[in-house]
């Protein structure tokens, strides 16, 4: 991660929008640079507006909440966009629904594709970290809107951009 570039990216967002300084998370998607870039490409096209993680990955009280900001890095560690969390649902893996799978925007957008891909992804994590993965493990389902940079933002001048409306 390029800390100076990340801080400058956040500062540019704050200067342009008037958002007060606050704590924000810095993340990249997936578990490899290639997967980070693949999923980021879906964000850039407007197709991906949700992400899933395991509840076990968060310290008590540290689960994201609506209004939180997340700065996203590409596979090389460069800052690329900032999202604002819109909604959080915590539920067992098996109860994640079709609407959330579609909002994640991966593959064909189906729940079957989502389950297959996330079984593989969370399975790799379970193997690395030595925990049991099953279909009742709690998943943090996070929906977000892109707020920075302006050319990727879902809302521009208070209106939904064409990218966010699905056109």
């Amino acid at each position: 991660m390029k800390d100076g570039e990340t801080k400058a990216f956040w500062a540019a967002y704050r200067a342009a929008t008037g958002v007060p300084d606050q704590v924000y998370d810095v993340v990249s998607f997936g578990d490899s640079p290639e997967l980070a870039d693949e999923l980021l490409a879906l964000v850039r096209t407007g197709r991906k507006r949700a992400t899933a993680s395991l509840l076990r990955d968060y310290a008590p009280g540290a689960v994201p909440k609506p209004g939180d900001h997340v700065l996203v890095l590409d596979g090389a560690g460069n800052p690329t966009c900032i999202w604002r969390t819109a909604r959080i649902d915590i539920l067992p893996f098996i109860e994640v629904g079709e609407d959330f799978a579609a909002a994640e925007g991966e593959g064909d957008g189906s729940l079957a594709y989502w389950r297959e891909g996330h079984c593989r992804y969370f399975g790799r994590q379970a193997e690395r970290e030595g925990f049991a993965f099953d279909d009742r493990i709690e998943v943090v389902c996070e929906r977000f809107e892109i707020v920075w940079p302006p050319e990727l933002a879902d809302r521009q001048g208070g209106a939904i951009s064409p990218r966010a409306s699905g056109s």
Side-chain angles (χ1 to χ4, degrees):
M1 178 172 56
K2 302 166 182 170
D3 195 47
E5 289 179 31
T6 300
K7 288 179 180 176
F9 197 80
W10 175 254
Y13 168 62
R14 287 189 51 238
T17 62
V19 168
D21 199 15
Q22 59 191 266
V23 174
Y24 59 95
D25 286 328
V26 178
V27 304
S28 58
F29 289 111
D31 55 4
S32 70
E34 297 78 19
L35 187 53
D37 288 339
E38 176 185 324
L39 297 177
L40 184 57
L42 296 173
V43 169
R44 288 181 175 172
T45 65
R47 187 167 169 184
K48 182 174 183 62
R49 290 298 182 266
T51 192
S53 54
L54 297 179
L55 181 60
R56 71 178 307 280
D57 294 339
Y58 296 94
V63 172
K65 60 189 178 309
D68 286 355
H69 285 84
V70 176
L71 191 151
V72 184
L73 306 175
D74 67 13
N78 300 305
T80 59
C81 65
I82 297 172
W83 82 57
R84 183 173 40 235
T85 301
R87 177 177 166 181
I88 294 288
D89 294 299
I90 300 171
L91 52 152
F93 179 87
I94 195 67
E95 293 180 22
V96 172
E98 291 179 23
D99 63 325
F100 185 80
E104 274 224 52
E106 299 170 25
D108 64 6
S110 70
L111 181 56
Y113 186 94
W114 185 91
R115 284 188 178 153
E116 180 182 318
H118 284 78
C119 275
R120 282 193 314 271
Y121 177 77
F122 292 141
R124 289 192 307 268
Q125 180 183 353
E127 188 174 316
R128 276 191 318 271
E129 297 176 13
F131 67 89
F133 172 77
D134 63 52
D135 64 3
R136 300 300 304 168
I137 198 164
E138 289 189 298
V139 177
V140 176
C141 298
E142 183 172 6
R143 295 174 189 260
F144 56 83
E145 65 176 348
I146 300 299
V147 295
W148 190 256
E151 63 272 16
L152 293 181
D154 292 330
R155 298 178 186 272
Q156 299 175 355
I160 303 278
S161 73
R163 186 186 307 76
S165 65
S167 32

